[in-house]
Amino acid sequence: MTTWAIKSGRLLDGTGQQVVSSGIVVVKEDRIVAAGSESEVTLSENIPVVDVGDRTMMPGLIDAHVHMLSTGGVSSGEESRAMNNHEALLQGAQNALMAIRSGLTAVRDCGDRDFLSLILRDSVAKNVMPGPRMVCSGPVITSTAGQLWWDGIECDNTDDLRRAVRTLVKNGVDFIKLMGSGGNATPGSNPEASQYNAEGFHAVAEDAHRMGKKVAAHVHGVESIRLAVDAGIDTLEHCPFRAGGTIKYDEGIVEDLVQKGLIVSLAMPATWYRLRAEDMRDVRSHPGHLWEDRYETIRRLHTAGVKLVVSSDQGSTGTRINELALLMAFLVEKVGIPATDVLHGVTGLAAEALGMGDQIGTLQTGKLADIVIVDGDPMEDMGAMQRVHGVIKGGLLVARGDAVVWPPALNFDL
């Protein structure tokens, strides 16, 4: 069995702790067998050591809210609806390449069409093609004419909802995605209004959990957020607290959310922080007037102790698969979230959202050897996350600089 080690000027282990100077990770086959500072890790004789110099080594990045079959262009909605299934699958393959090159070693796909993301997931897992590990919901559950109805399973009562959950599980999904409120991407849909009542939310959560699956709920409005928290939905996606044309943060809901240990996945596309209305060609609403209020909501969620996963909603308007680092920098520099927590939100905490916290997300003994090396220190300059030097997945080099390494290499020079 092959054992080797990688050494760097700094090590960030993904647990939310501070950076360790002079870090070492020891890899045996696809697993980490030791990790820590150079003074803590004892190396056996004759183990090859790759020294990447004055760089930062950290767990592979995880984007917990993506749509792999979508372009992420400024007309992403139009483009995605115009594609046939063959084109959508090819788009997914292109996104998989872009993802791994940008340092993403795992993603959670939060809504596809016709279960095509599962084909991508399995192809990557079988080493047919390069890409990140994928956790997939398959088609979303939505109401008739609801958010993303054209790619979802339309349900209007609890029997419909339970049947949809069971159908999704039967088809091999990893988790359930519920459209708990309307959304911006569907003309005629109301982001502030819940698409289901309390009974509906509970039906989905109960049946999914009975079958061993987590639930992610798309929730924009205050009402839908409250219902999702009450039902014990595992991850709340977006969660901007929209009501009455503005944003109305609700401390009571947040207290319940924290007490239950639920996760908020920000799922924050470019329309929420850098893409202006005039840049968009889709006919849809634009949340520019709500930007500053949402930033304050994120600050308050962080202060309240909410588990905040940093996710991009890739595939939404103007948001491409390789741009998670832009959101990370924005959250630090504009919103004021500490770099430690932003980095934890794309590593250890994101792995928990995927239901893979025992496998990935941290550089700890027994975990899969998914590692990213970046130029610089992201604790001091989050721009370092845009300077990916190398990507290791399962103990093998899968990307170096701007190029994907295929087939993955065991013996490499970083």
Side-chain angles (χ1 to χ4, degrees), residues 89-373:
L89 197 53
L90 288 172
Q91 179 65 54
Q94 182 186 51
N95 283 334
L97 285 170
M98 293 169 64
I100 203 72
R101 196 166 56 202
S102 72
L104 289 172
T105 55
V107 297
R108 183 175 63 157
D109 190 273
C110 287
D112 71 1
R113 63 160 79 170
D114 295 337
F115 299 97
L116 294 179
S117 68
L118 277 63
I119 296 174
L120 280 178
R121 177 196 68 186
D122 296 345
S123 296
V124 170
K126 293 174 183 176
N127 285 322
V128 173
M129 57 176 284
R133 306 179 193 280
M134 291 178 59
V135 173
C136 302
S137 73
V140 302
I141 297 175
T142 191
S143 59
T144 299
Q147 169 75 339
L148 299 187
W149 61 266
W150 53 85
D151 282 337
I153 301 175
E154 292 177 298
C155 302
D156 295 319
N157 57 52
T158 54
D159 285 343
D160 289 347
L161 290 166
R162 291 184 186 277
R163 186 177 298 108
V165 170
R166 297 169 191 180
T167 298
L168 289 164
V169 173
K170 183 174 73 172
N171 278 276
V173 304
D174 301 299
F175 72 103
I176 304 300
K177 172 69 180 297
L178 174 69
M179 288 304 187
S181 74
N184 296 313
T186 304
S189 177
N190 182 357
E192 296 183 1
S194 176
Q195 296 196 157
Y196 300 103
N197 59 17
E199 185 182 4
F201 276 86
H202 279 274
V204 171
E206 289 168 3
D207 234 38
H209 292 161
R210 176 182 65 82
M211 301 178 81
K213 303 298 180 183
K214 289 180 177 287
V215 181
H218 161 109
V219 283
H220 280 305
V222 173
E223 178 191 12
S224 61
I225 295 170
R226 178 182 293 109
L227 293 171
V229 172
D230 288 346
I233 299 293
D234 302 279
T235 69
L236 281 66
E237 310 297 311
H238 311 293
C239 211
F241 288 90
R242 294 181 65 171
T246 185
I247 286 178
K248 295 182 180 179
Y249 183 86
D250 190 306
E251 291 184 357
I253 293 176
V254 174
E255 287 177 5
D256 289 345
L257 199 161
V258 172
Q259 185 177 16
K260 291 185 175 183
L262 307 179
I263 288 174
V264 168
S265 173
L266 290 177
M268 197 169 173
T271 49
W272 274 107
Y273 67 101
R274 65 181 172 84
L275 187 67
R276 297 181 179 277
E278 56 267 26
D279 297 324
M280 297 164 53
R281 293 195 297 273
D282 282 359
V283 179
R284 48 165 282 182
S285 61
H286 184 263
H289 63 293
L290 301 176
W291 281 0
E292 294 298 333
D293 288 340
R294 186 175 189 194
Y295 307 157
E296 180 59 22
T297 291
I298 294 170
R299 295 183 193 104
R300 296 182 70 178
L301 288 169
H302 176 263
T303 300
V306 173
K307 294 180 178 181
L308 285 180
V309 164
V310 176
S311 53
S312 73
D313 201 7
Q314 171 271 327
S316 291
T317 305
T319 311
R320 299 189 186 279
I321 192 73
N322 58 352
E323 294 179 334
L324 181 62
L326 299 180
L327 174 58
M328 295 170 66
F330 178 83
L331 289 172
V332 172
E333 296 163 8
K334 172 67 177 179
V335 181
I337 306 301
T340 302
D341 296 329
V342 169
L343 291 163
H344 189 218
V346 296
T347 53
L349 189 55
E352 181 182 338
L354 268 62
M356 296 184 69
D358 60 337
Q359 294 291 311
I360 60 174
T362 59
L363 301 181
Q364 294 177 303
T365 301
K367 298 287 184 75
L368 288 164
D370 290 359
I371 303 168
V372 168
I373 301 107

